[in-house]
Amino acid sequence: MNFAYLPFFTFTDPYSLTVTQLLLTKKPFPPLLHLLDHQDEEIISYALLFIINLIKAGTESTPLTSQHPHFVEISTIGGIVIIFEQFSGNLNDKTNDFSKFDFARIMQLGIRNNFLEEFGEQEEEEQVYDPNQRTESIKDRTAVLIGNLFRAQEITNTEQRSGVIQHLKSLVNNREDWIRTESRKALKCLAQNPVNRTEIENDGFTIPE
């Protein structure tokens, strides 16, 4: 694992609404989107995870039927184009093992605790970390990101809409908890728009609870 970007990762995973809202005040999207042009696929994969965890704060703090609060900001700086390019460029991407970093995890816990103490917050009970649990690919993460950002609004490009939705539908019964849960949430976001919903349901598909 490349440790150069570990400090930011420590603040975004595991996801915390409190920490994420604090990070959003620092305008993190431009540098993170820039990382999606990196030559190292591991860095791209983690950058996508960082962005997903950040936009989850907007997804979870606003009504499901409303457009995503960070869409305009990300679109204005060219982020939507960059994200779709990543999805299109990884159409043959295979699910790969989530990197194992026991030493990094130890560092992460210490950094997060110091950060939370500084802002007078208390970390929730620590979850047991299983490095083998996460196996989603770049394509998986990009599809989840697009699904969240296009909440309650149409993906106007027909090919892109079909590609993203079909991929998300293929993940809803995945054996891995994170991608199974997040793909369902992403589809529910997209389904708030009637055009997207028609695409989702065109083969009799129903989004699982």
Side-chain angles (χ1 to χ4, degrees), residues 22-162:
L22 290 170
L23 287 171
L24 286 169
T25 66
K26 305 301 181 182
K27 304 296 182 183
F29 291 123
L32 286 174
L33 289 167
H34 182 68
L35 286 177
L36 298 186
D37 289 328
H38 204 281
Q39 297 300 310
D40 189 328
E41 289 189 358
E42 185 180 45
I43 291 179
I44 294 172
S45 187
Y46 275 94
L48 286 167
L49 184 59
F50 301 162
I51 298 170
I52 289 169
N53 284 342
L54 288 172
I55 68 165
K56 280 176 67 176
T59 302
E60 297 181 1
S61 62
T62 53
L64 177 63
T65 55
S66 65
Q67 294 188 357
H68 198 281
H70 299 314
F71 179 86
V72 173
E73 178 184 357
I74 292 176
S75 179
T76 300
I77 58 178
I80 300 299
V81 173
I82 294 171
I83 293 165
F84 269 114
E85 286 176 348
Q86 274 299 323
F87 181 80
S88 300
N90 286 283
L91 291 180
N92 296 316
D93 190 15
K94 302 296 183 181
T95 298
N96 58 299
D97 290 336
F98 193 81
S99 298
K100 302 173 179 61
F101 52 103
D102 293 339
F103 175 68
R105 181 61 175 166
I106 294 172
M107 292 176 61
Q108 175 180 345
L109 295 178
I111 295 172
R112 279 177 65 89
N113 289 340
N114 291 339
F115 180 79
L116 289 168
E117 288 174 4
E118 180 179 347
F119 285 92
E121 301 290 344
Q122 185 174 0
E123 179 69 294
E124 297 178 358
E125 183 178 350
E126 178 61 27
Q127 299 177 349
V128 176
Y129 180 71
D130 178 6
N132 297 310
Q133 186 178 4
R134 300 288 296 278
T135 60
E136 69 271 9
S137 66
I138 290 175
K139 182 179 179 183
D140 297 341
R141 292 183 182 181
T142 308
V144 167
L145 178 55
I146 293 169
N148 277 268
L149 286 172
F150 277 84
R151 186 181 70 182
Q153 61 179 314
E154 178 186 351
I155 300 177
T156 55
N157 183 294
T158 304
E159 183 177 353
Q160 290 176 339
R161 180 173 65 244
S162 176

